[in-house]
Amino acid sequence: MMRYCGPRAHHLTQLARNSGDWGRLLRALACRYPRLPEGSHVASDGTELESNPERIVWETLRRLQPHDLDLCCHPLLEERRFLRSDFGICAPGGDTPLVYLEVMGMLGSDRECQTDVEEHSLKRLALKERWFSEPDRPLLRIIWLDMMAHPDWLAAICEEAFQ
């Protein structure tokens, strides 16, 4: 995420490449600021998610969720096919989401890959984008890592998805 915070955070990008240094920095921050939220895949409502970026988006969605819409985690795009999205926005009691949200927690909107894992993630997203581009498919909203670096952008994207 530090890649997208601008020049003030570029030195932190180097720390992120060395997980030992990054871990020491996080432990030092936790000692200095004990009230900082801990990194966790479990949301405040107890929902278990697959990553911290998913948790960030889930917490934002839950905070902005209108009473007349439901949220679901990891809905399948089709039965009998293992292709799913991260979140879905459904009508109350509805089985099929009206809007799907995909969290790209390791890539920015520039789609610039730096690792094989990022490249694989982008290929998987291309499969989903093809599926959603077919006629009569629901909407797909992609939330990129750089959007999560700006909480007001993330809130605006989530509000738009609900509308």
Side-chain angles (χ1 to χ4, degrees):
M1 188 178 283
M2 296 306 166
R3 283 192 343 218
Y4 304 104
C5 289
R8 295 170 298 174
H10 282 265
H11 64 289
L12 295 174
T13 304
Q14 298 308 312
L15 278 176
R17 293 185 198 283
N18 182 337
S19 60
D21 288 344
W22 188 247
R24 281 190 291 279
L25 174 67
L26 292 176
R27 286 189 295 278
L29 283 172
C31 290
R32 175 75 172 95
Y33 303 100
R35 293 186 185 187
L36 281 177
E38 292 182 27
S40 172
H41 299 187
V42 180
S44 59
D45 64 0
T47 303
E48 288 193 36
L49 302 159
E50 293 182 350
S51 67
N52 285 331
E54 276 191 17
R55 182 184 53 83
I56 291 167
V57 173
W58 179 259
E59 298 281 7
T60 303
L61 287 166
R62 295 291 291 172
R63 183 172 48 84
L64 300 171
Q65 179 182 359
H67 297 294
D68 59 343
L69 292 173
D70 291 334
L71 287 174
C72 60
C73 283
H74 307 120
L76 290 173
L77 303 184
E78 286 182 358
E79 290 297 321
R80 300 179 310 277
R81 187 172 172 207
F82 189 72
L83 191 60
R84 62 182 174 82
S85 191
D86 292 318
F87 305 121
I89 299 174
C90 305
D95 292 336
T96 305
L98 306 167
V99 177
Y100 288 80
L101 293 122
E102 192 64 30
V103 179
M104 295 302 292
M106 65 178 70
L107 285 166
S109 55
D110 59 4
R111 296 180 184 228
E112 186 177 307
C113 296
Q114 296 184 4
T115 67
D116 291 342
V117 174
E118 292 172 348
E119 187 71 38
H120 177 74
S121 181
L122 199 56
K123 287 178 183 176
R124 188 95 172 133
L125 177 64
L127 286 172
K128 293 175 187 179
E129 286 179 311
R130 270 198 304 279
W131 188 89
F132 281 101
S133 69
E134 294 179 18
D136 300 323
R137 300 281 191 201
L139 296 173
L140 172 67
R141 294 289 179 254
I142 302 170
I143 299 175
W144 300 94
L145 185 60
D146 52 327
M147 296 170 180
M148 286 180 253
H150 302 277
D152 53 330
W153 293 4
L154 179 57
I157 291 163
C158 291
E159 285 176 353
E160 179 195 2
F162 283 123
Q163 291 178 6

